Amino acid sequence: MSEAAYSKGLEGVIAGESAIGLVDGINGKLYYRGYNIDDLVAYSTYEETVYLLLFEQLPTASELAEFTVNFRSGRHIATPIQDMIRDFPQAGDPMELLQSVMSYLSGYVAHKIKHSATCNCRQTLHQVAQMATVIATYQRFKEGKPYVAPREDLSHGANFLYMLRGKEPLPYEADILDKCLILHAEHGFNTSTFTARVVASSLSTCYSGISAAIGALRGPLHGGANEQVMDMLAEIGTVYNVDTWLDKALLEKKKIMGMGHREYRVKDPRSFVMETFLRDLSDKKGDSKNLSILTKLEKSFRARMDQKGKPLYPNVDYFSGSVYALLGIPQQLFSPMFAMARCAGWLAHILEQRKDNRLFRPECGYIGPAPLEFVPIDKR
Ligand code: COA
């Protein structure tokens, strides 16, 4: 074994270089290709953000128009894909389905798959475009409802809600969801993105990389925290129960879901934006139950952490589940929706990996026995 440095979980290790996303954990800022996410949320759309991530710069008006037509025309899913979704067992997990469907899609592309930095996937984009259709269709079939074909005149957020509900969402609902997708589109070398890059480094296909990334995202240590926040809210029940619940949870050394982050030492910049969406939606829908519990819980949690000197603040998942719930999205779709937004980031990283590729093949620190003499079975 060589004397190479070892860090469990690669914590603190720079495992590659990237020009895509910058997570500034000290100052609580997040940038995509140099643009602050606050500006992207204020002035951009999910589709323009996808362009930015994949083509490395903001588009001109004509570039965006062309890209949008292309992107939206790729939303349709072939009949065999619909059949695959329909046949998925009711009790199955949608993340497992999503992972399989993404690989299956590779058989339904008109172009010949090219494994290169100028991969056709940047043009066809159908993993990013079709993931939303797959998720909405899964939910429709699960509820015994018919397939709703995607529309090409709607933004990505609006189209998703349209396919899910079978009718157009209100403009403010579509706008909020589109911006939620921007917030989740990219986040540096997180576990799923790193997985996608490792797969890409063997010069495998985008489909394999994205499918593997979904598998990594599925785990509770990565995606899925927003679903656990919803379970926590149900357990707390009312705003009057927050302090009693919190003290008991901390005494039992439980982690408070939606709090803390490996990178951010201050409040996650995405959680500020999510909080404003939740305030807005709570107001418009006349339902502020979750908002009031989350606000009180944050205040009480921060007061206790300040006393202990721990820099633990809300992350993006603290508010996102409640935003989705007020948009009428079922809890089991929260992780798939994370994948739907992050797919753009995964694809950008796969393309970047290929541009200057070196196969990921780290060393293993062997801790097993020294060479042993083989004992025949009758002598053991
Ligand atoms: N609630 C209470 N205490 C927490 C906490 C939380 N959510 N997150 C971290 N801590 C405490 C730990 O108990 C530990 O305390 P100790 O030093 O007294 O043992 C300390 O803070 C460091 O925790 P650690 O788990 O080592 O931090 P990390 O940087 O590896 O973990 C997370 C980051 C996100 C995994 C962690 O904060 C967490 O599990 N949060 C809840 C799940 C979540 O919201 N995940 C979504 C992330 S976007």
Side-chain angles (χ1 to χ4, degrees):
M1 185 176 138
S2 81
E3 293 305 307
Y6 166 60
S7 169
K8 199 171 181 181
L10 295 182
E11 187 169 359
V13 171
I14 295 175
E17 292 181 318
S18 176
I20 303 171
L22 170 63
V23 181
D24 178 352
I26 304 296
N27 298 303
K29 304 273 182 213
L30 174 60
Y31 303 85
Y32 299 167
R33 301 251 182 229
Y35 295 97
N36 191 314
I37 48 135
D38 290 339
D39 290 334
L40 293 172
V41 165
Y43 309 117
S44 189
T45 61
Y46 180 69
E47 284 155 302
E48 188 183 46
T49 302
V50 173
Y51 185 102
L52 171 68
L53 291 171
L54 296 181
F55 292 90
E56 306 176 17
Q57 58 188 14
L58 285 172
T60 62
S62 63
E63 284 168 341
L64 182 60
E66 190 190 340
F67 175 82
T68 303
V69 168
N70 198 13
F71 182 77
R72 293 181 182 182
S73 68
R75 285 176 176 158
H76 296 266
I77 50 174
T79 308
I81 306 277
Q82 291 177 39
D83 293 342
M84 184 184 181
I85 299 170
R86 193 181 283 106
D87 290 345
F88 192 63
Q90 275 278 333
D93 187 290
M95 286 295 272
E96 306 283 10
L97 173 71
L98 202 55
Q99 189 171 7
S100 312
V101 170
M102 280 301 120
S103 301
Y104 202 59
L105 275 183
S106 67
Y108 292 88
V109 284
H111 65 79
K112 214 166 174 295
I113 300 168
K114 288 187 192 152
H115 321 304
S116 74
T118 52
C119 173
N120 276 335
C121 295
R122 190 189 261 130
Q123 262 72 43
T124 58
L125 285 167
H126 76 304
Q127 300 105 326
V128 186
Q130 293 186 11
M131 183 110 58
T133 317
V134 171
I135 295 167
T137 302
Y138 160 80
Q139 188 60 32
R140 298 278 306 172
F141 289 169
K142 191 176 168 71
E143 293 173 9
K145 294 175 180 162
Y147 172 67
V148 174
R151 278 186 24 198
E152 295 180 24
D153 59 329
L154 297 175
S155 73
H156 211 51
N159 179 58
F160 178 74
L161 288 174
Y162 165 71
M163 291 187 295
L164 194 65
R165 298 175 180 179
K167 63 176 190 191
E168 262 187 66
L170 294 166
Y172 77 86
E173 294 177 312
D175 190 48
I176 286 179
L177 185 61
D178 209 64
K179 291 177 187 318
C180 288
L181 298 179
I182 295 178
L183 289 177
H184 283 95
E186 154 63 9
H187 210 237
F189 270 24
N190 53 82
T191 312
S192 55
T193 301
F194 186 58
T195 301
R197 287 191 79 125
V198 171
V199 174
S201 81
S202 76
L203 299 185
S204 186
T205 65
C206 295
Y207 300 92
S208 304
I210 287 170
S211 172
I214 294 170
L217 184 69
R218 187 203 188 300
L221 292 186
H222 186 6
N226 53 10
E227 294 182 40
Q228 294 181 51
V229 172
M230 297 308 283
D231 294 341
M232 177 182 78
L233 285 169
E235 203 181 304
I236 296 173
T238 122
V239 72
Y240 306 107
N241 194 29
V242 165
D243 285 328
T244 316
W245 181 90
L246 179 61
D247 286 330
K248 185 166 175 285
L250 291 177
L251 202 66
E252 290 169 359
K253 302 239 173 282
K254 278 191 187 156
K255 283 207 170 156
I256 310 306
M257 286 300 125
M259 291 288 180
H261 198 277
R262 180 64 68 77
E263 299 273 329
Y264 295 115
R265 291 292 156 257
V266 292
K267 193 164 168 173
D268 180 336
R270 300 166 299 174
S271 75
F272 283 108
V273 188
M274 277 291 177
E275 188 175 355
T276 62
F277 294 161
L278 182 58
R279 286 191 184 284
D280 192 14
L281 275 173
S282 302
D283 190 34
K284 289 197 166 83
K285 303 262 180 199
D287 177 359
S288 55
K289 187 177 175 209
N290 284 354
L291 175 66
S292 51
I293 297 177
L294 289 169
T295 308
K296 168 80 179 133
L297 181 63
E298 180 182 350
K299 203 162 162 241
S300 298
F301 181 75
R302 284 294 318 128
R304 285 154 179 78
M305 293 305 115
D306 274 347
Q307 275 178 359
K308 295 182 181 172
K310 287 190 183 182
L312 294 171
Y313 299 84
N315 58 54
V316 67
D317 291 325
Y318 190 66
F319 297 105
S320 64
S322 298
V323 168
Y324 295 153
L326 283 176
L327 289 172
I329 297 167
Q331 193 170 322
Q332 62 164 354
L333 294 193
F334 293 179
S335 295
M337 287 180 58
F338 190 160
M340 162 180 153
R342 185 59 58 84
C343 190
W346 292 332
L347 195 49
H349 276 273
I350 289 170
L351 295 171
E352 187 180 62
Q353 178 65 35
R354 288 176 180 164
K355 260 191 353 190
D356 185 23
N357 188 48
R358 182 142 177 90
L359 180 72
F360 277 102
R361 204 319 182 178
E363 282 183 43
C364 168
Y366 177 72
I367 54 166
L372 299 169
E373 194 180 329
F374 184 82
V375 183
I377 196 154
D378 57 330
K379 301 257 167 56
R380 282 177 225 157

